[in-house]
Amino acid sequence: LGTAPPPPAADIVAAPRGPQASLASERSTVAVDLPPTPATVAPLVPLAPGAYRAARDRAPAATYQVQPRDTLVSIARQLYGDESRFQEIYEANRALIPDPNNLRAGVVLRIP
């Protein structure tokens, strides 16, 4: 009433899956999802407070060149599909935008 013991590790062969999968010999073939090896798994390391924001701020950002008649609201609507996100654009570009109600055409904004 017992089950057959598993085959030795040398007899386990990963097989292709899907409609094209077939048995290549009389030996049974079993498709196995193997867990990643320790070398391929990055350890989980908690981030220090503010580390995510600092990394995001260092990441290459998209840019947008202000066109005539653009506003922060219109840029947010165009780029994010949500005009309420204009404040994010302003915060990322405070040094370039002395007056958020009066954008100068030609200014290149960092888009977070």
Side-chain angles (χ1 to χ4, degrees):
L1 295 190
T3 59
D11 289 343
I12 297 176
V13 178
R17 294 182 182 178
Q20 287 78 25
S22 65
L23 297 176
S25 68
E26 292 180 18
R27 187 174 9 160
S28 295
T29 306
V30 178
V32 178
D33 285 326
L34 299 174
T37 62
T40 61
V41 176
L44 294 177
V45 179
L47 294 176
Y52 172 77
R53 180 177 295 232
R56 182 193 67 202
D57 291 345
R58 284 192 307 268
T63 58
Y64 177 83
Q65 185 171 11
V66 177
Q67 303 301 309
R69 295 183 304 280
D70 272 347
T71 65
L72 289 176
V73 170
S74 69
I75 295 169
R77 183 183 317 117
Q78 178 182 341
L79 299 179
Y80 297 130
D82 181 0
E83 59 190 38
S84 67
R85 294 182 65 187
F86 76 93
Q87 191 70 29
E88 294 174 46
I89 299 170
Y90 177 64
E91 292 298 327
N93 295 282
R94 277 182 174 265
L96 300 172
I97 306 172
D99 179 5
N101 296 316
N102 187 17
L103 293 180
R104 288 180 298 135
V107 173
V108 177
L109 302 176
R110 178 184 171 278
I111 304 301

